[in-house]
Amino acid sequence: MEAAKQRRRRGIVLTATGLKRLQTAIQSAQLQENDGIRFTQEELSIRIGVSTNTLSRLWSLKTGLDSRSVKLCFSAFDLDLTESDYTTGEEVEQFDGIEYPSGPVSVYSKLYIPRPPIEHSISQEISRPGCIIRIKAPKGMGKTSLKFRTLDYAKTLSYYTVHLDLKLVDTDKFLDLDTFLRWLCSILSKSLDIEPQLDEYWDKEIGSKLSCTLYFEACILEVLNNPFILSFDELNRVFEYPKLAQEFLPLLRSWHEKAQYNPVWYKLRLIMDYSTDIYVPLDINHSPFNIGLPIKLPEFTDSQIEELASRYGLDWQQGQAQKLMEVIGGQPALVNIAFYHLSQEKLTLEELLEQATTERGIYRHHLREKLDDLLANPDLAAAFAEILTAQTSVNLSPTVAYKLESIGLIKLTPDGAIVSRELYRSYFSQNLDEILQ
């Protein structure tokens, strides 16, 4: 199959007739399912499977949308889209086919599967002044896809947003607190189209943290008219630098506390995602990881896997979800890879699972990356080898346990660590000698 190609297509706009039909169907559903209480924009977004930004564009009757999104809105309320419901609008970008799942799910994609009530809880929380939202999950669980939808929703509220992917930051920025905080203030200013004025506020006599705080208040928060969401992607990269972590992480908590009494700081909202619990010692009263809204992303359920299969256009039979989950669990990244290949190639589920841990299998690159992670870290390799050969769960040092959890190889239970999924147990058992070299 050819890779998905981007093209332009005339979008469609609802007519007054189409809008009335849809609104009537929504009102009927509200009466039958919600005691007449109006669905929120977030609830509609989750039900339909499109972003809140898409819904805002739909209601405007001005901006063209792709026909697939409009059909999703109608079908969610048991309606067929007819020619009288829409007219041709402006051009919109679309993609033919389905792209290979190699990163976050686009906010415009039909392949995003909500995990209620998480999306609704987050959309409610970001309206709270000074809030902190903490999203924890190993790689491949959909943290960034979830945050992209949160930021997209925030923009419909006219919030300012800045998303910082710490994986892209040069290593030298993490080696010194002053360097890191100056980088942070500089990148925030530039992202918000504010002229950086660091030298005017940085004062060695009062220190980096207070200089950064004064700058953040005077040059960012006071300048912005609306709430501001600061989003950190993979905050656990800071954990790798204990001196920085012990200074910077309490600073985030102090900013949250300022929002409890200082009107200027009311505008700030923090979203942090990380792959593992912090393993750097922090005073419990100074840690940002025991306050705010904690979100722990669960794996997909069998019903969510079946829903995703249908969005890939697969005729999924009863029991097939369970067969897939027995091998890979419900990790979104692994499930999407499976469905991509099942939908694009002449491949059966049985063939996919039989080849899963071989060099012919669809997970060969994914598994090799995990193996390379272990080979680059002998301590992790030795610990994981012990887990593979143990008959029961294994107790590990906190640092090793958290690192293995962050790359998704283990699950931490009250009794100790176990292999996270059968795919890894089978593959790494076959490659145990290489791990222990």
Side-chain angles (χ1 to χ4, degrees), residues 35-107:
D35 295 327
I37 301 172
R38 291 184 61 184
F39 295 130
T40 65
Q41 191 89 327
E42 304 78 51
E43 290 169 335
L44 289 173
S45 170
I46 292 169
R47 179 183 182 126
I48 296 169
V50 298
S51 71
T52 53
N53 185 45
T54 296
L55 290 177
S56 297
R57 293 160 62 201
L58 179 73
W59 307 140
S60 73
L61 302 186
K62 296 178 181 178
T63 307
L65 292 174
D66 62 282
S67 59
R68 181 196 61 79
S69 294
V70 180
K71 287 178 180 177
L72 279 175
C73 294
F74 273 64
S75 63
F77 296 94
D78 299 322
L79 294 176
D80 292 324
L81 185 67
T82 67
E83 291 185 359
S84 63
D85 294 322
Y86 65 90
T87 185
T88 304
E90 65 183 34
E91 288 189 342
V92 294
E93 290 186 353
Q94 288 196 329
F95 293 89
D96 291 327
I98 294 174
E99 292 187 304
Y100 185 79
S102 58
V105 180
S106 163
V107 294

Side-chain angles (χ1 to χ4, degrees), residues 177 181 209 242-252 282:
L177 176 66
L181 294 182
K209 288 190 289 186
K243 289 184 178 179
L244 174 64
Q246 289 173 344
E247 299 287 350
F248 175 63
L249 298 175
L251 180 62
L252 294 179
L282 282 183

Side-chain angles (χ1 to χ4, degrees), residues 215-264:
Y215 181 91
F216 198 89
E217 178 176 324
C219 296
I220 295 179
L221 294 180
E222 287 189 352
V223 171
L224 303 179
N225 298 321
N226 294 324
F228 168 48
I229 295 182
L230 173 54
S231 166
F232 290 99
D233 198 46
E234 292 294 343
L235 188 63
N236 44 278
R237 186 167 182 203
V238 174
F239 303 172
E240 300 170 15
Y241 304 89
K243 289 184 178 179
L244 174 64
Q246 289 173 344
E247 299 287 350
F248 175 63
L249 298 175
L251 180 62
L252 294 179
R253 171 151 179 165
S254 75
W255 289 355
H256 163 76
E257 292 173 346
K258 280 181 175 293
Q260 312 312 307
Y261 64 87
N262 186 330
V264 175

